[in-house]
Amino acid sequence: MNEKGTTKSGNVRPAKTSGWRQSPAVRWLLMGLFVLLFYFSLSPHVIPETYDMTEGSVSEKDIKAPFQIKDEKATRQAEEEAAGRIEDIYSNVSLRNEQLVEQIMYRIEQLNADDQVTTENKIEIYRSEIPKKYGDHIDLFVKANLGKGTYSDSLLEEMSYVAKEQQYTIPEETFYKMPQLASDQLIEMRNVAKEIVRKLTIDPLRDAETARMQVAELVNGSSISHRTAREIVQELSRFSIMPNRFLDKEATDEARVQAKQNTPPVVIKEGDVIVKQGETITPELYKLLSDANLLQDKQHYWPQAGLLILSLMFVLVLYAYLHQSGSISGLKPKYSNAQLLMLWLIFLINIITIQIIALTQTDSAHYAGYLAPAALGAMLITLLLDMHLAVISSFIFAVMGSMILNTGQGHIFDFKYGFFFIVISLAAVFSIHRASQRSAILKAGIMVSLFGSLAVMVTLMMSEQMDRMPFIYSITFAFAGGLLTAVLVIGLMPFFEITFGILSALKLVELSNPNHPLLRKLLTETPGTYHHSVMVGNLSEAAAEAIGADGLLCRVGSFYHDIGKTKRPNYFIENQSNIENPHDSIDPKLSKSIIVAHARDGVDMLKGYNIPKPIRDIAEQHHGTTSLKFFYHKSLKQAQEAGVDPDFTEDDFRYPGPKAQSKEAAVVGIADCVEAAVRSLRNPTVDQVEAMINKIIKSRLDDNQYNECDLTLKELDRIAQSLKESIIGIFHSRIEYPEDVKTKE
């Protein structure tokens, strides 16, 4: 055998398969089951249910919104109502009415000072020019501000129209009185009129008439004493007063548009009933169902394709790890299809528990999702399979949990649950991976509770969702979820151990208890074999760990590997204390039958006590098909002495096997033989121990005892070195070192 495990002829011996457990077809079928599990677990949360509906048909059941849906019709109605609540916006426009007074007074003063113009002409000029100045003043203001940005064009247009519409009509007799005014009177009248106009237009004014009604009172209280002057000032002041607050259509429209934009959309919340049972499908309802993609004629190819790809990605991650680690590849894969099926069941159970918790979530109690025992799967995988596989699976659980427990609207994933799941899953993995007692599961559950509560607190603090009661409930549910995880793991562990014959570290530690009935039987009935088994356990555990095999399995398997000797304890040399060896007086063939029977008897006894198969395999395979040479040569000698030809061959004196199928069985077999050989030496030296170990390993190697397990030559060297170191440590006082030998010589 070389390092790849070849036979003497150089051919690679194919790995034995055990039916469906190693079948590649079954393995691919299980990968397909993983895809289906992921797809159908997540499809209700990604792909909405569709209904066969037409306009005018009657719904046979309540149709609920699978996610938050915007109600377009109700939203438009709400927007119109919001816009309708916006009142017309009025803006102030300063028309500088004092300038109009100044212009009129200046024209009167100029014209009255011209002696070349007759009174009749002056009256005619006043009658035509003064009313026109009102409109000219407005037009000039519009022209000066048009396009400047101070006032909108629509506002200037509205101002021009309203102001001109409210123009005051000066009485006819006023024009006849104007030529009578002297220059000094006009100066006084100008100041009084400007002050009155300024005072009455300083406040917002939509209707000029309300201000004009106050002119007479202000004029009477002025310094003007001449009656005619007061009358003219009164009329000109009324004429010069204009409205200064106008409807701003552009600002009003903009405000109404803004109100529509600020109106929150009317939505149908996830889980709300869109159509009640027995309700007729109106065109509005049909459009709503169509917009929500709830009709069967609406295809959902993209969500389905995306979910399928996501499921394949999950499986690809699992397969890539299992393949790269050699767990499902190579001549002797680490995991059989039975263990892959167990992994699938763990995923199924974990997803079901999360789905159940998701059913308890409501809008007001969304924090119920923190009760989900998401670390259940990671903890079971760590205990039953592999820590690194549990870490990989933790990320898959986190992604799936963030989708299943998602309460956010318009999002596929909910970050806070994804973060929560990955924290508690990793906390579970690192808390339980060295567990050796059932109580360690409860301790790991407490760690999950603590880290889960911390993760929830951190996410709530960062999102500033610090409402007192939801905050307390969230942390409480997270803490309770860790304890629930521990309870479920403790309850499920025996199911997986018994159903799949899995030997977890916890189970192995329980089986190594000296109070186990079989070990008690071994101790009381065969104390020599018991001591031998304990020594083999110490040797094999160290050797197995040296090559990366399961050291704990080797130790416990060693405790039970010779349990069959309890049927005929006196026929085995380690139990022959102060008694005659019975083999001296019986036929060698009978002796051979008694010796080789202990392996088969041990398997039967182990089955009777429901000891897991890996330990039974060690008991059955630790001798392989090795030869009992002592009895063979004894029988051969007897035949020669009797002068007859032997009717047997060496193969008739071999153990029935099978050969070692695992590294652990091979290691226990080597340790068993080495321990017995070293015990037979009276004063062994280090060189003798080393030579004996190498001789035993080489003898079994030459006898093809390792052809059916994947031990390499390099690993056999490590086993030899480990056994040498262990034996020197155990039998330190009996083994002579080379210096001691030289001294004696």
Side-chain angles (χ1 to χ4, degrees), residues 112-146:
N112 284 356
D114 192 350
D115 296 335
Q116 301 298 320
V117 182
T118 62
T119 302
E120 289 76 9
N121 288 339
K122 291 179 181 178
I123 294 171
E124 188 63 31
I125 290 172
Y126 293 144
R127 184 185 290 117
S128 63
E129 286 190 5
I130 292 178
K132 188 173 178 295
K133 285 185 178 296
Y134 186 95
D136 292 343
H137 178 76
I138 295 173
D139 292 341
L140 184 63
F141 181 87
V142 171
K143 184 177 180 181
N145 289 278
L146 192 64

Side-chain angles (χ1 to χ4, degrees), residues 634-648:
K634 182 179 179 181
S635 183
L636 190 63
K637 183 179 180 181
Q638 290 179 353
Q640 291 175 350
E641 291 176 350
V644 296
D645 293 331
D647 58 349
F648 54 86

Side-chain angles (χ1 to χ4, degrees), residues 28 44 60 97 131 137 150 152 181 201 209 224 259 265 275 335 355 398 445 459 464 470 509 550 594 632 638 642:
W28 285 112
E60 297 180 354
N97 305 69
H137 178 76
T150 306
S152 64
L181 298 174
T201 58
E209 193 59 34
I224 300 175
V275 180
Y335 297 143
Q355 295 277 17
T459 53
E464 297 185 356
V509 171
D550 192 339
I594 294 174
Y632 168 68
Q638 290 179 353

Side-chain angles (χ1 to χ4, degrees), residues 37 68-69 138 171 188 257 266 300 326 329 387 390 467 523 576 643 671:
L37 174 62
Q68 181 172 284
I69 302 173
I138 295 173
E188 183 180 13
V257 169
V266 179
H300 302 83
S329 60
M387 171 186 171
D467 295 341
L523 175 61
Q576 295 170 0

Side-chain angles (χ1 to χ4, degrees), residues 284-574:
E284 292 79 9
L285 284 176
Y286 185 84
K287 186 176 186 307
L288 183 61
L289 294 173
S290 178
D291 293 341
N293 294 325
L294 293 176
L295 297 177
Q296 287 187 356
D297 59 351
K298 292 283 186 179
Q299 301 298 328
H300 302 83
Y301 294 134
W302 289 116
Q304 292 173 351
L307 182 57
L308 180 60
I309 293 173
L310 178 64
S311 302
L312 290 171
M313 289 173 64
F314 286 157
V315 175
L316 181 62
V317 169
L318 288 175
Y319 181 82
Y321 168 75
L322 293 172
H323 182 75
Q324 291 296 328
S325 64
S327 298
I328 57 173
S329 60
L331 294 176
K332 298 289 284 186
K334 180 179 179 181
Y335 297 143
S336 67
N337 291 333
Q339 289 166 306
L340 291 181
L341 177 60
M342 181 179 66
L343 179 65
W344 185 85
L345 282 176
I346 293 174
F347 268 84
L348 176 64
I349 292 172
N350 203 37
I351 292 171
I352 288 176
T353 57
I354 297 174
Q355 295 277 17
I356 292 174
I357 296 300
L359 296 176
T360 66
Q361 282 185 303
T362 62
D363 291 337
S364 59
H366 57 85
Y367 43 75
Y370 292 121
L371 185 61
L376 170 65
M379 201 176 290
L380 287 173
I381 294 172
T382 304
L383 291 170
L384 298 172
L385 292 170
D386 177 59
M387 171 186 171
H388 298 95
L389 178 59
V391 173
I392 299 296
S393 302
S394 296
F395 287 94
I396 297 177
F397 290 138
V399 175
M400 296 187 68
S402 68
M403 298 174 69
I404 295 173
L405 296 175
N406 177 27
T407 56
Q409 305 299 337
H411 302 285
I412 298 176
F413 306 97
D414 192 329
F415 165 79
K416 63 178 183 293
Y417 284 113
F419 176 70
F420 171 71
F421 278 16
I422 195 63
V423 168
I424 63 174
S425 295
L426 294 180
V429 171
F430 293 114
S431 299
I432 201 69
H433 78 284
R434 293 188 181 275
S436 59
Q437 296 180 351
R438 299 284 175 181
S439 60
I441 298 177
L442 182 58
K443 294 178 182 178
I446 294 175
M447 294 300 295
V448 170
S449 297
L450 293 176
F451 277 93
S453 300
L454 182 62
V456 171
M457 183 176 68
V458 167
T459 53
L460 293 178
M461 290 173 67
M462 289 193 299
S463 60
E464 297 185 356
Q465 297 179 3
M466 298 293 289
D467 295 341
R468 181 180 178 186
M469 293 313 297
F471 184 82
I472 294 175
Y473 284 140
S474 297
I475 294 179
T476 302
F477 275 100
F479 192 88
L483 300 180
L484 177 61
T485 300
V487 171
L488 291 175
V489 170
I490 292 174
L492 289 170
M493 279 291 292
F495 164 76
F496 285 107
E497 290 172 341
I498 295 173
T499 303
F500 293 93
I502 296 296
L503 261 181
S504 65
L506 301 177
K507 184 67 174 178
L508 284 171
V509 171
E510 289 179 357
L511 291 173
S512 67
N513 189 335
N515 290 321
H516 189 281
L518 282 178
L519 296 184
R520 293 289 297 175
K521 179 180 179 68
L522 188 68
L523 175 61
T524 57
E525 298 181 9
T526 57
T529 301
Y530 178 83
H531 180 265
H532 162 72
S533 299
V534 172
M535 299 299 291
V536 172
N538 294 333
L539 296 175
S540 63
E541 181 177 29
E545 291 178 351
I547 62 171
D550 192 339
L552 184 57
L553 174 59
C554 286
R555 169 181 283 274
V556 180
S558 298
F559 290 169
Y560 292 90
H561 80 290
D562 277 343
I563 193 68
K565 292 181 178 180
T566 57
K567 277 198 171 184
R568 305 174 187 87
N570 294 334
Y571 285 87
F572 299 92
I573 191 168
E574 66 267 22

